[in-house]
CSV table of all heavy atoms in Angstrom, one decimal:
chain,number,residue,atom,x,y,z
A,106,GLU,N,-69.4,-45.2,-60.2
A,106,GLU,CA,-68.3,-45.4,-61.1
A,106,GLU,C,-66.9,-45.5,-60.4
A,106,GLU,O,-66.6,-44.6,-59.6
A,106,GLU,CB,-68.3,-44.3,-62.1
A,106,GLU,CG,-67.3,-44.5,-63.2
A,106,GLU,CD,-67.5,-43.5,-64.3
A,106,GLU,OE1,-68.6,-43.1,-64.7
A,106,GLU,OE2,-66.4,-43.2,-64.9
A,107,LEU,N,-66.2,-46.5,-60.6
A,107,LEU,CA,-64.9,-46.8,-59.9
A,107,LEU,C,-63.8,-46.4,-60.9
A,107,LEU,O,-63.7,-46.8,-62.1
A,107,LEU,CB,-64.8,-48.3,-59.7
A,107,LEU,CG,-63.5,-48.8,-59.0
A,107,LEU,CD1,-63.4,-48.2,-57.6
A,107,LEU,CD2,-63.4,-50.3,-58.9
A,108,HIS,N,-62.9,-45.6,-60.3
A,108,HIS,CA,-61.6,-45.2,-61.0
A,108,HIS,C,-60.5,-45.9,-60.2
A,108,HIS,O,-60.3,-45.5,-59.0
A,108,HIS,CB,-61.5,-43.8,-61.0
A,108,HIS,CG,-60.1,-43.4,-61.7
A,108,HIS,ND1,-59.5,-42.2,-61.4
A,108,HIS,CD2,-59.4,-44.0,-62.6
A,108,HIS,CE1,-58.4,-42.2,-62.1
A,108,HIS,NE2,-58.3,-43.2,-62.9
A,109,MET,N,-59.9,-46.9,-60.7
A,109,MET,CA,-59.0,-47.7,-59.9
A,109,MET,C,-57.7,-48.1,-60.8
A,109,MET,O,-57.9,-48.5,-61.9
A,109,MET,CB,-59.6,-49.1,-59.4
A,109,MET,CG,-58.7,-50.0,-58.7
A,109,MET,SD,-59.6,-51.5,-58.0
A,109,MET,CE,-59.8,-50.8,-56.4
A,110,HIS,N,-56.6,-48.0,-60.1
A,110,HIS,CA,-55.4,-48.3,-60.8
A,110,HIS,C,-54.7,-49.5,-60.1
A,110,HIS,O,-54.7,-49.6,-58.8
A,110,HIS,CB,-54.3,-47.1,-60.9
A,110,HIS,CG,-54.7,-46.2,-62.0
A,110,HIS,ND1,-53.8,-45.5,-62.7
A,110,HIS,CD2,-55.9,-45.7,-62.3
A,110,HIS,CE1,-54.4,-44.7,-63.6
A,110,HIS,NE2,-55.8,-44.8,-63.3
A,111,ALA,N,-54.2,-50.5,-60.9
A,111,ALA,CA,-53.6,-51.7,-60.3
A,111,ALA,C,-52.1,-51.8,-60.7
A,111,ALA,O,-51.8,-51.5,-61.8
A,111,ALA,CB,-54.4,-52.9,-60.7
A,112,ALA,N,-51.3,-52.4,-59.7
A,112,ALA,CA,-50.1,-52.9,-60.1
A,112,ALA,C,-50.0,-54.4,-60.0
A,112,ALA,O,-50.5,-55.0,-59.0
A,112,ALA,CB,-49.0,-52.3,-59.1
A,113,THR,N,-49.6,-55.0,-61.1
A,113,THR,CA,-49.6,-56.5,-61.2
A,113,THR,C,-48.2,-56.9,-61.4
A,113,THR,O,-47.4,-56.2,-62.0
A,113,THR,CB,-50.5,-57.1,-62.2
A,113,THR,OG1,-50.0,-56.7,-63.5
A,113,THR,CG2,-51.9,-56.5,-62.0
A,114,GLY,N,-47.7,-58.2,-61.0
A,114,GLY,CA,-46.5,-58.6,-61.3
A,114,GLY,C,-46.3,-60.1,-61.2
A,114,GLY,O,-47.1,-60.8,-60.6
A,115,ARG,N,-45.2,-60.5,-61.9
A,115,ARG,CA,-44.9,-62.0,-61.8
A,115,ARG,C,-43.4,-62.1,-62.2
A,115,ARG,O,-43.0,-61.5,-63.2
A,115,ARG,CB,-45.7,-62.8,-62.8
A,115,ARG,CG,-45.5,-64.3,-62.8
A,115,ARG,CD,-46.4,-65.0,-63.9
A,115,ARG,NE,-46.1,-66.4,-63.9
A,115,ARG,CZ,-46.8,-67.3,-63.3
A,115,ARG,NH1,-47.9,-66.9,-62.8
A,115,ARG,NH2,-46.5,-68.5,-63.4
A,116,GLU,N,-42.7,-62.7,-61.4
A,116,GLU,CA,-41.3,-63.2,-61.8
A,116,GLU,C,-40.4,-61.9,-62.0
A,116,GLU,O,-39.6,-61.8,-62.9
A,116,GLU,CB,-41.2,-64.1,-62.9
A,116,GLU,CG,-41.8,-65.4,-62.6
A,116,GLU,CD,-41.8,-66.3,-63.9
A,116,GLU,OE1,-41.1,-66.0,-64.9
A,116,GLU,OE2,-42.4,-67.5,-63.8
A,117,GLY,N,-40.6,-60.8,-61.2
A,117,GLY,CA,-39.8,-59.7,-61.2
A,117,GLY,C,-40.3,-58.7,-62.3
A,117,GLY,O,-39.6,-57.6,-62.5
A,118,ARG,N,-41.4,-58.9,-63.0
A,118,ARG,CA,-41.8,-58.0,-64.1
A,118,ARG,C,-43.2,-57.4,-63.6
A,118,ARG,O,-44.0,-58.1,-63.1
A,118,ARG,CB,-42.0,-58.7,-65.4
A,118,ARG,CG,-40.6,-58.9,-66.0
A,118,ARG,CD,-40.8,-59.5,-67.5
A,118,ARG,NE,-40.8,-60.9,-67.2
A,118,ARG,CZ,-41.1,-61.8,-68.1
A,118,ARG,NH1,-41.5,-61.4,-69.4
A,118,ARG,NH2,-41.1,-63.1,-67.9
A,119,ALA,N,-43.3,-56.2,-63.7
A,119,ALA,CA,-44.6,-55.5,-63.3
A,119,ALA,C,-45.3,-54.7,-64.5
A,119,ALA,O,-44.7,-54.3,-65.3
A,119,ALA,CB,-44.2,-54.5,-62.1
A,120,THR,N,-46.6,-54.6,-64.2
A,120,THR,CA,-47.5,-53.8,-65.1
A,120,THR,C,-48.2,-53.0,-64.2
A,120,THR,O,-48.8,-53.4,-63.1
A,120,THR,CB,-48.4,-54.7,-65.9
A,120,THR,OG1,-47.5,-55.6,-66.7
A,120,THR,CG2,-49.3,-53.9,-66.8
A,121,VAL,N,-48.5,-51.7,-64.6
A,121,VAL,CA,-49.3,-50.8,-63.8
A,121,VAL,C,-50.3,-50.2,-64.8
A,121,VAL,O,-50.0,-49.8,-65.9
A,121,VAL,CB,-48.5,-49.7,-63.1
A,121,VAL,CG1,-49.5,-48.7,-62.4
A,121,VAL,CG2,-47.5,-50.3,-62.2
A,122,GLY,N,-51.6,-50.2,-64.4
A,122,GLY,CA,-52.6,-49.6,-65.3
A,122,GLY,C,-54.0,-49.4,-64.7
A,122,GLY,O,-54.2,-49.9,-63.6
A,123,CYS,N,-54.9,-48.8,-65.4
A,123,CYS,CA,-56.3,-48.6,-65.0
A,123,CYS,C,-57.1,-49.9,-65.2
A,123,CYS,O,-57.0,-50.6,-66.2
A,123,CYS,CB,-56.9,-47.5,-65.8
A,123,CYS,SG,-58.6,-47.1,-65.3
A,124,THR,N,-57.9,-50.2,-64.2
A,124,THR,CA,-58.7,-51.5,-64.3
A,124,THR,C,-60.0,-51.5,-65.1
A,124,THR,O,-60.7,-52.4,-65.1
A,124,THR,CB,-59.0,-51.9,-62.9
A,124,THR,OG1,-59.9,-51.0,-62.3
A,124,THR,CG2,-57.8,-52.2,-62.1
A,125,ARG,N,-60.2,-50.3,-65.8
A,125,ARG,CA,-61.5,-50.1,-66.4
A,125,ARG,C,-61.9,-51.1,-67.5
A,125,ARG,O,-63.0,-51.4,-67.8
A,125,ARG,CB,-61.6,-48.7,-67.0
A,125,ARG,CG,-60.9,-48.4,-68.3
A,125,ARG,CD,-61.1,-46.9,-68.6
A,125,ARG,NE,-60.3,-46.5,-69.7
A,125,ARG,CZ,-59.3,-45.8,-69.5
A,125,ARG,NH1,-58.8,-45.4,-68.4
A,125,ARG,NH2,-58.6,-45.4,-70.7
Side-chain angles (χ1 to χ4, degrees):
E106 188 170 321
L107 179 66
H108 180 207
M109 177 175 264
H110 285 218
T113 67
R115 182 182 178 104
E116 297 179 9
R118 285 184 270 171
T120 299
V121 178
C123 183
T124 64
R125 70 179 178 263

